[in-house]
Amino acid sequence: MKSVRPDNTDPIPMRADPPRMGTIMIRFVGLLVVAVVVLALIWSR
């Protein structure tokens, strides 16, 4: 078996930081509010 090595020895770039928990919660709450408003509008017809 021949080992395969990359041409350059630069370290593998890490992915960007995952979004913080606060950002995820704000998005979740925002989508929840939008969904509730849409359902309330549909139900009130």
Side-chain angles (χ1 to χ4, degrees):
M1 288 290 289
K2 181 180 166 186
S3 63
V4 177
R5 293 181 181 272
D7 294 336
N8 58 356
T9 57
D10 294 339
I12 297 170
M14 298 298 290
R15 292 191 308 152
D17 292 337
R20 289 192 285 281
M21 197 64 190
T23 308
I24 295 172
M25 289 300 294
I26 290 170
R27 286 182 187 174
F28 176 75
V29 170
L31 289 173
L32 188 66
V33 169
V34 170
V36 168
V37 169
V38 169
L39 288 173
L41 289 173
I42 291 172
W43 182 77
S44 66
R45 288 179 158 224

